[in-house]
């Protein structure tokens, strides 16, 4: 790969500050071109896809209030008797609150440290010429293509010998390490695209390398950091194999489990424990797990999109 | 101090363990030199004799250290793990100073594989379920304590004047016998047959089928009543493989499956195998299998059967325990043996395979091997066995433990089938499923194809033979025989 | 500028690099090493067998079957996902000419909704679709019967119980889950394109459709390239979906086996052939590397500066 993909600099529509990329700037100015695409046909298409996304989720929501017989006999009908107990039972048996808390801890710290370490490495690789810098860069890059399975057994040896096995801090460390390749790749391109003059003028003002980074470069890189933060949040939130192997259940309540593990357990339980509402209980578990994430997404939706905007490579 | 305490102490040093740890790792060639494992394992084929901690006595035949903690991991599946908690209280009663740690899990392999590799396995493992560890590999690499005379000649806990070996049913240890050595204790005794709703059959004047012709005739009747004759746990064709192997054995004798286990050339082309495959194909081609069966999980299929959507389902005696509260009140579950293929069968109709499940093993590198053996001895007491049956509606391998037990009707049906089977020649358990896991999977796949009509009998036989030949030729797989 | 360079470089590079070497690179190197042994994964002992595992792998028909499934998915999933997400992005931004806010009614709502699948853990999605595809009483079956189609007579045993279809049924789920994410990515990219370009084109009388193909798409190419690599590597894995959804009696030969699932079975569920499984993983690594390089080569275009 001889040409490095470079990050897009924030656009500067006239009269808009550079730190406000994308949406706001564009949306406020009407574009007065001819409307060739009428709204009718696209709307049909858009509605269809929205239904395709929403229906399964709504079906799961509705089914979580039914007993098994009702779920499998009439999917769209309202339940004869609303089974609100399914949520309480899912909550009790699955210990979901604990899983949730664990997941939040791991992902928050995981993302923060990923941002810190990857921006440090990326900045050095992007802005400093030194012997071996290309090699370091490509070593990081190679990590993007590693299939996790290959490392899984040696990895649990490493974590065990460091006391990082079966606990949350161990997961955080491993998550950060595995998030580095993509983040370094992405942020290196981003730092390369930032104007050099600012750093240089800072040096002339007598700031050292460290101060320049933390006071000048990091704030400038905010859009890229948000974007990488979003990527890693989603990736780490969804991680399943790593916790299953490196963080097996410690006690009866599974006080150390993450959400994905807990849900998989719940689905497995379904294979053995069957009450008349067992399917509904599992669906209730799924809903309980979905709601907060969806809520967070809806609240932060603009930040997410901005992050993607800022960090998009071109 | 247990390993858990060690790791949590280290963990509490805070995030990243501390720079010192990292530095130590980066500078430690052993880790970075990528040596996959430390040496010092037991060489294959030998086993280390556990040494007693205190002098052995009639009351403590294995010399268990009364203060040593005991670490028990139980597969929490169809039988749940309540019975194990009861067994543990029994153990604690006799060794009040021992801390007993109980873990119930469905992921045996992900949980325990690291511990075996590290050489710090638990003291007792109920190695069962879809995620069970590969017993054969564990056994042949010296990781499991051999159940030898020291254990079998020890006195039973509550059968007065009996040795443990006298309290086991015939063939109780077969499942975990590998090349003449016993590597653990299979605990649950499951009768494997086919189930129907006796209430429904009586109402319609139907008789359970004793021969394949009977079954086909019954299919005509149920079809007339708009009821599919047969369903099975579609996603797990092993249930149908069990029916298949039982029918093959009854038709052609025990040697047929023995040849298959021993990977004899052409074993799958034996007449009995072909004949039963033809019969299975007929079941499918006559449309007697409930639509959609092939992609149902066992829970879904069993629920369908219990709600009267199909007449017959194959299963072991754990069925009631698994159905739980899904069983309608007016439903009368009853189990019968698989039908005889025809009058030429070598074994009687009553012959029914009883398989053992819940493989309890005592890892040889556990910290408290003697305690593990003592735990197994506890499980083989009458009290423990009766408690298990009461909680799971399933018999145990403990001989005579359930004769005077007040059992429920379903368990009674299993018990009767078991007693009747004692009159016929016994169906010996087939072993390839435990010996060669990849072969088990592929045969199940082929069975699935036969039952969905994608393969006919000849296609199934050819496919199965190919699988067996591949295992036979594969140098990576250790071969066993019986 | 040069004063204090080295202390700075070393301070900044050491922590991330150390972390990466200890937890990522060294385990992978060990993994490659395990692939040269007959290790079972359960014992402390093993023997070196050289390239024996790789030789067996090349003769293993099942492995090649899994590889071919991977290839099928690699062709279909990225093409369909990216096409859909491009089309949706274009519709929401009026052919990529911006106006996402002022454009179609409800466009903000759509953008939020389409992204939903992305925030659900894969495990949840897989479990959900298992029930949707259920042959009796699943959402799909009920929906089809509602419009008068009997699913089981067209697809006996439902999408996940049918050899010819299972792979595509699972691919559909992957597409369902991926479209929203890439759509948001593309919308973001489209909004970066300077409006003046479109205004100029409009003055020249170009239609929106024409603008999309001649302006938007070329200017978006960097995004598309990144998306292809990203989705390609994701598709090579697919373990989460497949391990939940393809767990059925026909899965061993239903054609839903890919490299990742076969590898998992070999390592954790078969006769514990860890060395062999590591050889598979090493092959998977090589395929991923090739995929990344090839993608960048094929999709490389003249960079357009704006």
């Amino acid at each position: 790969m001889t040409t490095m993909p470079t990050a897009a600099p924030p656009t500067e529509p006239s009269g808009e500050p550079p730190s406000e990329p994308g949406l706001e700037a564009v949306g406020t100015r009407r574009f007065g071109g001819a409307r060739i695409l009428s709204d009718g046909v696209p709307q049909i298409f858009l509605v269809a896809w929205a239904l395709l996304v929403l229906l399964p989720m709504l079906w799961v929501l509705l089914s979580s209030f039914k007993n098994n017989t009702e779920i499998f006999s009439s999917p769209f009908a309202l339940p004869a008797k609303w089974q609100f107990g399914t949520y309480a039972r899912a909550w009790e048996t699955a210990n979901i609150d604990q899983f949730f808390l664990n997941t939040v801890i791991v992902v928050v710290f995981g993302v923060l440290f990923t941002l810190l370490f990857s921006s440090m490495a990326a900045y050095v690789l992007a802005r400093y010429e030194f012997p071996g810098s290309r090699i370091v860069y490509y070593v990081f890059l190679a990590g993007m293509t590693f299939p996790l399975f290959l490392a899984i057994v040696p990895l649990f040896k490493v974590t065990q010998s460091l006391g990082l096995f079966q606990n949350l801090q161990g997961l955080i460390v491993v998550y950060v390490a595995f998030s580095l390749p993509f983040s370094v790749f992405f942020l290196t391109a981003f730092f390369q695209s930032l104007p050099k003059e600012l750093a240089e003028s800072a040096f002339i003002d007598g700031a050292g390398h460290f101060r320049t980074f933390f006071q000048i470069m990091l704030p400038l890189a905010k859009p890229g950091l948000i974007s990488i933060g979003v990527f890693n949040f989603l990736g780490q939130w969804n991680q399943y194999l790593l916790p299953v192997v490196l963080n097996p259940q410690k006690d009866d309540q599974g006080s150390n489990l993450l959400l994905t593990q807990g849900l998989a357990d719940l689905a497995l339980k379904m294979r053995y424990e069957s009450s008349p509402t067992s399917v509904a209980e599992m669906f209730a578990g799924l809903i309980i797990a979905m709601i907060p994430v969806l809520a967070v997404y809806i609240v932060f939706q603009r930040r997410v999109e901005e992050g993607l905007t800022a960090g998009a490579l071109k | 101090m247990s390993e858990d305490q060690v790791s949590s102490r280290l963990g509490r040093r805070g995030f990243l363990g501390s720079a010192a740890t990292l530095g130590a790792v980066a500078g430690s060639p052993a880790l970075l030199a990528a040596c996959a494992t430390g040496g010092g394992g037991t060489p294959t084929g030998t086993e280390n004799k556990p040494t007693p901690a205190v002098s052995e006595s009639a009351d403590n035949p294995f010399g268990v250290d009364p203060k040593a903690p005991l670490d028990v991991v139980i597969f929490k599946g169809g039988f749940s793990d309540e019975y194990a908690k009861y067994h543990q209280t029994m153990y604690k009663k006799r060794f009040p100073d021992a801390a007993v740690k109980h873990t119930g899990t469905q992921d045996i392999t992900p949980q325990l594989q690291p511990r075996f590799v590290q050489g710090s396995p638990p003291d007792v493992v109920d190695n069962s379920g879809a995620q069970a560890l590969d017993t054969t590999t564990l056994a042949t690499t010296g990781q499991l304590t051999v159940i030898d005379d020291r254990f079998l000649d020890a006195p039973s806990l509550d059968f007065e004047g009996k040795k443990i070996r006298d309290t086991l049913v015939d063939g109780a240890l077969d499942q975990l016998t590998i090349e003449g050595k016993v590597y653990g204790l299979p605990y649950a005794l499951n009768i494997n047959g086919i189930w129907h709703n006796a209430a429904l059959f009586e109402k319609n004047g139907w008789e359970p089928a004793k021969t394949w012709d009977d079954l086909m005739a019954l299919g005509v009747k149920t079809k007339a009543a708009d009821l599919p004759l047969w369903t099975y746990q579609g996603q797990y064709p092993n249930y149908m493989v069990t029916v298949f192997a039982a029918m093959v054995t009854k038709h052609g004798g025990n040697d047929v499956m023995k040849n298959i286990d021993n990977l004899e050339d052409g074993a799958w082309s034996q007449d009995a195998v072909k004949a039963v495959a033809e019969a299975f194909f007929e079941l499918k081609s006559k449309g007697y299998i409930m639509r959609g069966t092939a992609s149902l999980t066992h829970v879904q299929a069993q629920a369908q059967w219990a709600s009267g959507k199909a007449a017959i389902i194959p299963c072991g005696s754990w069925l009631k325990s698994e159905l739980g509260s899904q069983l309608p009140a007016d439903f009368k579950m009853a189990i019968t043996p698989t039908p005889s293929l025809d009058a030429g069968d070598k074994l009687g109709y009553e012959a029914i395979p009883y398989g053992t499940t819940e493989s309890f093993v005592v890892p040889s590198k556990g910290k408290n091997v003697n305690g593990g053996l003592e735990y197994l001895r506890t499980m083989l007491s009458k009290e423990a066995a009766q408690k298990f049956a009461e909680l799971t509606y399933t018999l145990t391998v403990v001989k005579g433990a359930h004769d005077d037990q007040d059992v429920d009707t379903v368990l009674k049906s299993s018990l009767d089938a078991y007693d009747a089977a004692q009159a016929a020649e016994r169906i010996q358990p087939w072993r390839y499923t435990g010996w060669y896991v990849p072969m088990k999977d592929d045969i199940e796949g082929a069975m699935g194809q036969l039952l969905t009509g994608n393969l006919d009998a000849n296609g199934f036989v050819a496919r199965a033979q190919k699988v067996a030949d591949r295992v036979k030729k594969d140098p990576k797989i250790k071969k066993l025989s019986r | 500028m040069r004063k204090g360079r080295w202390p700075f470089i070393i301070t900044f590079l050491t922590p991330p690099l150390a972390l990466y070497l200890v937890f990522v690179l060294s385990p992978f190197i060990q993994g490659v090493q395990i692939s040269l042994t007959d290790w079972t994964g359960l014992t402390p002992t093993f023997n070196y067998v050289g390239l024996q595992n790789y030789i067996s792998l090349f003769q293993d028909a099942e492995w090649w079957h899994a590889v071919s499934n991977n290839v099928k998915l690699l062709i279909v999933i990225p093409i369909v996902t990216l096409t859909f997400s491009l089309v949706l992005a274009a519709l929401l931004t009026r052919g990529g000419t911006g106006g996402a806010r002022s454009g179609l009614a409800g466009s903000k709502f759509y953008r939020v909704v389409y992204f939903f699948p992305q925030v659900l853990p894969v495990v949840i999605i897989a479990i959900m679709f298992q029930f949707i595809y259920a042959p009796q009483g699943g959402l799909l079956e009920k929906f089809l019967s509602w419009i008068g189609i009997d699913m089981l007579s067209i697809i006996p045993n439902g999408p996940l119980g049918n050899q010819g279809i299972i792979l595509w049924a699972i691919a559909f789920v992957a597409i369902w889950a991926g479209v929203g994410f890439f759509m948001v990515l593309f919308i973001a990219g489209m909004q970066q394109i300077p409006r003046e370009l479109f205004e100029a084109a409009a003055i020249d009388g170009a239609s929106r459709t024409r603008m999309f193909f001649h302006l938007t798409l070329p200017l978006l190419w960097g995004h598309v390239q990144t998306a292809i690599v990203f989705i390609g590597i994701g598709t090579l894995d697919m373990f989460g979906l497949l391990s939940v959804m393809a767990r059925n009696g026909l899965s061993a030969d239903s054609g839903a086996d890919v490299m990742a699932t076969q590898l998992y079975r070999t390592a954790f569920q078969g006769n514990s052939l860890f060395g062999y499984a590591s050889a598979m993983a090493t092959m998977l690594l090589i395929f991923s590397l090739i995929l990344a390089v090839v993608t960048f080569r094929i999709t490389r275009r003249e960079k357009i500066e704006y």
Side-chain angles (χ1 to χ4, degrees):
Chain A
M1 285 178 238
T2 42
T3 54
M4 273 287 313
T6 51
T11 46
E12 297 189 46
S14 49
E16 295 286 343
S19 59
E20 273 283 302
L23 296 182
E24 289 297 12
V26 174
T28 50
R29 289 191 292 158
R30 288 259 162 184
F31 174 62
R35 291 201 169 192
I36 305 282
L37 275 178
S38 71
D39 283 0
V41 177
Q43 278 289 12
I44 292 172
F45 198 82
L46 292 168
V47 169
W49 191 265
L51 283 177
L52 201 59
V53 170
L54 286 176
L55 269 181
M57 294 163 84
L58 290 173
W59 176 66
V60 169
L61 178 65
L62 183 65
S63 300
S64 67
F65 297 107
K66 297 176 169 185
N67 65 33
N68 293 359
T69 325
E70 286 173 327
I71 292 176
F72 290 121
S73 56
S74 49
F76 307 118
L78 293 178
K81 185 164 154 284
W82 290 79
Q83 310 272 354
F84 292 106
T86 54
Y87 281 77
R89 279 195 295 276
W91 190 261
E92 272 162 34
T93 50
N95 204 357
I96 286 180
D97 45 345
Q98 182 71 50
F99 303 156
F100 217 95
L101 185 68
N102 292 346
T103 311
V104 168
I105 292 172
V106 169
V107 173
V108 165
F109 282 105
V111 169
L112 283 178
F113 279 94
T114 301
L115 289 179
L116 178 68
F117 285 156
S118 58
S119 60
M120 280 160 50
Y123 178 65
V124 170
L125 292 172
R127 286 304 180 77
Y128 288 78
E129 288 282 322
F130 62 94
S133 70
R134 301 292 289 165
I135 293 172
V136 173
Y137 176 74
Y138 279 119
V139 163
F140 270 122
L141 214 57
M144 278 167 64
T145 61
F146 289 170
L148 201 46
F149 280 111
L150 186 52
I152 210 80
V153 173
L155 194 61
F156 75 51
K157 284 194 181 8
V158 173
T159 48
Q160 284 200 309
S161 56
L162 297 176
L164 293 170
F165 184 75
Q166 211 177 39
N167 56 39
L168 299 184
Q169 52 273 45
L171 278 185
I172 294 169
V173 173
V174 174
Y175 277 19
V176 172
F178 274 84
S179 307
L180 282 175
F182 179 72
S183 311
V184 169
F185 159 74
F186 190 100
L187 288 173
T188 304
F190 196 83
F191 278 117
Q192 279 175 339
S193 71
L194 292 178
K196 286 208 167 41
E197 299 73 23
L198 277 166
E200 278 165 16
S201 64
F203 275 118
I204 291 163
D205 293 346
H209 294 274
F210 291 91
R211 236 184 75 196
T212 308
F213 174 77
F214 283 108
Q215 291 193 333
I216 314 273
M217 299 311 286
L218 220 44
L220 274 181
K222 201 172 132 189
L225 290 176
I226 291 176
S227 159
I228 272 297
V230 171
F231 265 109
N232 284 319
F233 178 86
L234 293 174
Q236 295 182 7
W237 183 268
N238 279 318
Q239 185 50 250
Y240 175 62
L241 184 67
L242 281 173
V244 163
V245 177
L246 302 180
N247 186 38
Q249 194 172 336
K250 200 157 41 185
D251 45 34
D252 248 3
Q253 297 77 40
S255 63
N256 61 327
L257 295 186
L258 299 193
L259 204 55
T260 43
Q261 294 170 276
L263 287 168
D265 270 1
L266 201 64
L268 267 178
K269 272 203 186 88
M270 274 272 315
R271 292 167 38 188
Y272 299 108
E273 294 167 22
S274 22
S275 73
T277 55
S278 57
V279 179
E281 269 157 56
M282 198 191 67
F283 282 173
L286 296 188
I287 296 288
I288 293 173
M290 278 185 208
I291 297 270
V293 200
L294 287 180
V296 168
Y297 169 66
I298 290 169
V299 172
F300 288 105
Q301 177 245 341
R302 264 200 47 219
R303 306 296 301 170
V304 173
E305 290 190 9
E306 275 174 28
L308 289 175
T309 312
L313 305 173
K314 85 166 193 289
Chain B
M1 184 153 74
S2 81
E3 203 183 64
D4 283 341
Q5 287 167 298
V6 175
S7 67
S8 70
R9 277 238 335 241
L10 278 172
R12 270 200 295 275
R13 280 195 205 161
F15 184 72
L16 283 190
S18 85
T21 327
L22 263 179
V25 174
S28 110
L31 257 170
L32 291 181
C35 163
T37 57
T42 323
T44 304
T46 65
E47 66 271 355
N48 37 5
K49 280 268 182 284
T51 42
V54 301
S55 60
E56 303 169 21
S57 63
D59 200 31
N60 186 355
F62 311 126
V64 180
D65 173 0
K67 288 196 188 54
L70 188 75
D71 186 352
V72 186
V73 177
I74 299 289
F75 168 66
K76 196 174 174 179
F79 296 137
S80 190
D81 59 353
E82 286 307 311
Y83 73 87
K85 289 178 183 163
Y86 183 83
H87 293 171
Q88 286 153 20
T89 47
M90 284 177 68
Y91 182 93
K92 262 204 87 81
K93 220 178 266 165
R94 296 183 47 243
F95 301 101
D97 296 338
V100 180
K101 181 166 181 256
H102 168 94
T103 315
T105 177
Q106 283 163 0
D107 308 328
I108 293 282
T109 290
Q111 292 251 355
L112 296 185
Q113 193 166 11
R115 296 188 58 183
F116 272 99
V117 175
Q118 295 286 328
S120 58
D123 305 309
V124 179
V125 181
D126 167 15
N127 185 28
S128 309
Q131 296 267 19
L133 288 155
D134 175 10
T135 314
T136 312
T137 303
L138 285 175
T140 51
T141 52
Q143 300 251 36
L144 301 178
T145 307
V146 176
I147 303 294
D148 52 10
D149 294 345
R150 177 170 176 250
F151 181 82
L152 295 171
D153 287 338
S156 159
L157 203 60
D158 60 5
F159 286 96
E160 283 304 313
K162 282 193 174 170
K163 293 175 175 172
I164 287 181
R165 72 167 74 246
D166 307 328
T167 64
L168 296 170
V169 299
D170 271 355
L173 302 171
D174 287 1
Q175 201 63 42
L176 287 172
T177 304
I178 295 166
E179 294 181 321
K181 288 202 182 109
V182 182
Y183 288 96
L185 168 75
Y187 192 57
L189 181 69
N190 288 296
I191 314 298
N192 286 300
I194 56 179
W195 295 82
H196 64 279
N197 176 1
L200 177 80
F201 273 48
E202 276 159 33
K203 198 181 82 188
N204 289 301
W206 299 335
E207 283 289 324
K210 289 199 166 184
T211 66
W212 192 259
D213 289 344
D214 293 350
L215 188 73
M216 291 299 108
L218 179 62
V220 175
K221 290 177 191 158
T222 61
K223 208 168 191 167
D226 218 27
L227 177 74
L229 173 68
W230 195 278
T231 187
Y232 63 94
Q233 300 75 351
Q235 293 196 12
Y236 309 95
N238 52 316
Y239 291 79
M240 286 303 279
V241 172
T242 302
V243 174
F244 187 85
M247 285 183 65
V248 164
T249 304
K250 280 157 87 160
H251 186 62
N254 275 308
D255 281 348
V256 181
M257 288 312 287
K258 194 164 163 177
N259 291 338
I260 285 177
D261 285 347
N262 293 345
L263 303 174
E264 302 290 352
D265 290 331
W268 288 89
S269 310
Q270 297 169 95
D271 291 344
V273 178
K274 269 207 174 109
V276 178
E278 294 285 0
F280 270 39
F281 188 70
E282 186 183 8
L283 188 68
K284 158 72 191 148
S285 54
K286 285 194 167 157
Y288 288 160
I289 297 177
M290 186 181 82
R291 292 184 345 144
T293 288
S295 53
L296 296 175
T297 64
H298 62 307
V299 171
Q300 290 166 331
Q302 286 156 198
Q304 293 278 353
W305 172 78
S307 60
K309 299 264 177 25
I312 294 174
I313 192 166
C315 196
S317 37
W318 60 82
L319 181 56
K320 177 170 178 172
S321 156
E322 219 160 48
L323 280 167
S325 55
Q326 296 192 50
L327 204 59
D330 57 351
F331 200 96
K332 281 222 268 311
M333 293 173 61
I335 188 170
T336 62
T338 52
S340 307
L341 191 65
D342 56 37
D345 272 20
K346 288 203 168 65
L347 274 61
Y349 163 72
E350 286 73 24
I352 192 164
Y354 40 92
T356 46
T357 57
E358 306 310 296
S359 307
F360 279 80
V361 294
V362 178
S364 57
K365 297 195 179 55
K367 292 189 182 61
N368 189 3
V369 171
N370 290 316
L373 293 171
E374 184 61 35
Y375 184 81
L376 297 194
R377 190 170 82 105
T378 310
M379 290 175 65
L380 290 174
S381 65
K382 190 171 183 174
E383 183 189 349
Q386 290 204 344
K387 192 72 187 177
F388 178 84
E390 177 194 325
L391 289 168
T392 65
Y393 312 109
T394 304
L395 304 170
T396 66
V397 296
V398 185
K399 192 154 66 183
H402 312 291
D403 291 352
D404 55 354
Q405 192 176 354
D406 184 14
V407 293
D408 91 320
T409 52
V410 176
L411 190 54
K412 181 90 176 69
S413 161
S414 298
L415 206 51
D416 291 349
Y418 174 77
D419 289 339
Q422 302 308 310
E425 188 190 335
R426 183 166 164 238
I427 298 178
Q428 292 161 8
W430 46 95
R431 304 297 304 280
Y432 78 87
T433 48
W435 289 347
Y436 312 119
V437 181
M439 174 164 159
K440 166 184 181 285
D441 287 348
D442 287 355
I443 298 291
E444 284 172 18
M447 177 58 71
Q449 302 294 7
L450 174 68
L451 292 167
T452 49
N454 295 334
L455 286 174
D456 61 6
N458 286 333
F460 169 79
V461 165
R463 175 75 158 276
Q465 189 61 55
K466 213 167 81 188
V467 172
D469 292 344
R470 201 177 60 223
V471 171
K472 189 174 183 172
K473 281 207 285 281
D474 191 338
K476 295 192 299 295
I477 299 175
K478 190 179 160 74
K479 307 298 180 297
L480 300 161
S481 65
R482 68 174 169 113
Chain C
M1 191 82 190
R2 301 199 56 83
K3 192 164 62 72
R5 259 177 94 238
W6 279 109
F8 175 72
I9 291 175
I10 288 164
T11 320
F12 260 43
L13 218 46
T14 306
L17 202 58
L19 206 60
Y20 179 76
L21 291 178
V22 173
F23 292 99
V24 183
L25 208 59
S26 92
F28 275 106
I29 294 169
Q30 290 181 48
V32 174
Q33 216 180 357
I34 292 172
S35 77
L36 304 173
T37 70
D38 63 357
W39 192 43
T40 59
L42 292 172
T43 49
T45 52
F46 59 87
N47 306 302
Y48 275 93
V49 295
L51 292 175
Q52 191 51 55
N53 285 328
Y54 291 89
I55 294 166
S56 311
L57 194 57
F58 273 87
Q59 298 164 340
D60 188 338
E62 279 191 27
W63 166 253
W64 289 112
H65 177 74
V67 172
S68 77
N69 277 340
N70 265 122
V71 172
K72 284 181 201 164
L73 290 174
L74 267 175
I75 293 167
V76 173
I77 292 178
I79 290 180
V80 177
T81 309
L82 296 181
T83 308
F84 265 68
S85 45
L86 266 173
V87 167
L88 291 172
L91 291 178
L92 285 179
T93 58
R94 306 191 162 286
T97 58
R101 288 270 168 107
S102 58
L104 283 165
S107 94
K108 186 161 190 277
F109 165 80
Y110 290 131
R111 290 216 313 272
V112 176
V113 167
Y114 293 173
F115 202 79
F116 274 1
Q118 197 57 44
V119 296
L120 302 181
V122 174
V123 180
I124 294 193
I125 293 176
I127 294 168
M128 199 164 88
F129 272 91
Q130 230 187 341
F131 280 93
I132 288 169
Y133 285 147
Q136 308 226 325
L139 182 63
L140 181 67
E141 191 234 356
K142 289 293 174 191
F143 177 77
L144 289 174
S145 73
W146 183 62
I147 55 174
I149 300 172
D150 178 20
M151 179 176 91
L152 290 179
S153 57
I154 315 172
I155 322 171
N157 297 314
L160 297 180
N162 193 293
Q163 259 193 298
I165 294 181
I166 180 167
L167 192 65
W168 306 119
I170 294 172
F172 172 80
V173 181
I175 292 163
W176 180 87
V179 163
F181 176 79
F182 292 103
M183 182 199 77
V184 170
L185 183 78
F186 291 147
I187 288 182
M190 287 171 183
Q191 288 174 339
Q192 288 190 325
I193 300 169
R195 315 188 54 79
E196 294 72 24
L197 292 175
F198 291 111
E199 282 162 12
I203 290 164
D204 291 346
S207 71
R208 275 184 192 283
T209 321
R210 205 181 140 77
M211 278 192 217
F212 177 76
F213 283 106
H214 290 265
L215 265 179
T216 315
L217 209 50
L219 291 173
L220 204 63
W221 199 247
H223 289 75
V224 176
Q225 200 183 31
T226 313
I228 292 175
V229 175
F230 214 73
I231 199 172
I233 288 170
T235 307
L236 263 184
D237 184 357
M238 291 260 298
F239 175 78
L241 282 183
L242 283 155
S243 64
V244 176
M245 292 177 74
R247 205 186 280 164
N248 68 50
L250 301 177
S251 65
D253 30 83
S254 73
D257 217 15
V258 298
M259 289 185 262
T261 46
Q262 208 180 53
L263 198 163
Y264 182 80
R265 279 217 311 271
T266 308
F268 297 100
Q269 291 177 323
N271 280 52
S272 316
L273 301 166
F274 233 97
Y276 194 50
S278 295
M280 291 180 177
T282 309
M283 292 302 292
L284 188 54
L285 167 68
I286 292 167
F287 286 137
S288 310
L289 282 169
I290 292 172
L291 176 83
V293 173
V294 165
T295 310
F296 270 110
R297 290 257 175 241
I298 290 180
T299 58
R300 202 154 76 210
R301 289 206 181 179
E302 288 300 299
K303 284 234 317 262
I304 302 166
E305 288 296 344
Y306 48 79

